[in-house]
């Protein structure tokens, strides 16, 4: 009777593993939204915990069959063979579920990281747009134009590392067919705004550089003219003084 019960337990365990494999490993998942992906991650975490909890049951089965084998070698031997199959299948199931759980966690982490980089670069684009707007309607003063140019150039020196990460993370997820529509839309909007603002900022930078150069040349010409006028005034004053002195003589 004990052997029959153990055989039944082994069959139930094998049936449970088959169901778990069908439910967690053979089902096709489509991750078209962050909610679907997050739910899949949580489901695989629960699956991993569920499978690992069966380890206690497997160990009890193993101990009982070993004990039976010492008392009834013939029955124990048959059950030991079935047990080895169950143990192999159980270990394989554990490894596959661990692997899938790890993969989904990595995918979720990749998605969160992509969002973080997009937030950082969006904040930078907002700052760039603000600096570009500040270059409009500047007072016609050298210092004001120079300060605006330096402020704009400081923002334009932003490194491209974050954009590289965005491109690589986005492409990795899209290649895996994960959130591809959402990511493509986000990347398209980000890249379009980046290109538009970058071109606008560079155009404004060139215009400010030219304006600054013109103002500096004008200031230089005015300075030279002022110096010439001072010299002319000195010469005229000297000439008049000499004429007065000559007249008095």
């Amino acid at each position: 009777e004990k052997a029959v019960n153990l055989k039944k337990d082994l069959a139930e365990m094998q049936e449970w593993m088959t169901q778990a494999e069908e439910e967690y490993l053979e089902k096709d998942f489509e991750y078209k939204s962050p909610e679907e992906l997050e739910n899949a991650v949580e489901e695989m975490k629960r699956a991993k915990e569920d499978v690992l909890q069966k380890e206690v049951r497997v160990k009890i089965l193993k101990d009982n069959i070993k004990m039976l084998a010492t008392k009834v070698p013939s029955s124990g031997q048959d059950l030991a063979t079935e047990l080895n199959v169950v143990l192999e299948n159980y270990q394989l199931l554990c490894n596959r579920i661990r692997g899938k759980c790890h993969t989904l966690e990595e995918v979720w982490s990749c998605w969160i990281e992509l969002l973080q980089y997009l937030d950082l670069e969006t904040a930078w684009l907002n700052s760039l747009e603000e600096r570009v707007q500040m270059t409009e309607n500047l007072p016609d003063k050298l210092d004001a134009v120079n300060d605006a140019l330096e402020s704009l150039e400081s923002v334009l020196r932003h490194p491209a590392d974050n954009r590289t990460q965005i491109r690589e993370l986005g492409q990795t997820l899209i290649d895996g067919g994960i959130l591809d529509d959402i990511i493509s839309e986000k990347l398209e909007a980000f890249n379009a705004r980046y290109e538009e603002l970058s071109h606008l900022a560079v155009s404004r930078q060139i215009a400010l550089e030219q304006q600054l150069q013109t103002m500096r040349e004008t200031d230089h010409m005015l300075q030279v003219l002022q110096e010439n006028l001072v010299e002319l005034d000195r010469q005229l004053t000297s000439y008049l003084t000499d004429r007065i002195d000559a007249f008095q003589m």
Side-chain angles (χ1 to χ4, degrees), residues 2-27:
K2 189 173 182 62
V4 172
N5 289 335
L6 288 172
K7 190 176 184 67
K8 181 181 177 183
D9 289 341
L10 284 172
E12 290 177 352
M13 185 66 189
Q14 183 59 57
E15 182 181 357
W16 175 84
M17 287 190 295
T18 301
Q19 292 175 350
E21 185 172 352
E22 291 175 354
E23 182 177 358
Y24 300 126
L25 298 174
E26 294 181 0
K27 184 167 61 177

Side-chain angles (χ1 to χ4, degrees), residues 39 41 65 94 111 165 180-181 185 188 209 238 242:
N39 290 337
V41 172
I65 290 173
C94 287
W111 162 249
Q165 290 293 329
D180 45 355
D181 292 339
E185 184 179 342
E188 184 177 350
E209 288 173 345
S238 176
D242 290 345

Side-chain angles (χ1 to χ4, degrees), residues 166-180:
I166 288 172
R167 183 175 62 253
E168 292 178 353
L169 289 168
Q171 195 60 52
T172 297
L173 290 169
I174 290 173
D175 289 345
I178 298 166
L179 307 178
D180 45 355

Side-chain angles (χ1 to χ4, degrees), residues 147-210:
D147 289 345
L149 178 59
E150 289 182 353
S151 178
L152 181 60
E153 287 176 338
S154 68
V155 179
L156 284 172
R157 284 193 289 268
H158 183 69
D161 297 350
N162 289 350
R163 294 194 298 279
T164 301
Q165 290 293 329
I166 288 172
R167 183 175 62 253
E168 292 178 353
L169 289 168
Q171 195 60 52
T172 297
L173 290 169
I174 290 173
D175 289 345
I178 298 166
L179 307 178
D180 45 355
D181 292 339
I182 292 175
I183 292 173
S184 295
E185 184 179 342
K186 283 183 175 291
L187 292 185
E188 184 177 350
F190 169 77
N191 289 330
R193 188 179 180 214
Y194 171 78
E195 291 298 328
E196 179 184 0
L197 277 176
S198 295
H199 289 149
L200 180 59
V202 171
S203 296
R204 290 299 300 152
Q205 180 188 20
I206 294 172
L208 287 173
E209 288 173 345
Q210 292 174 344

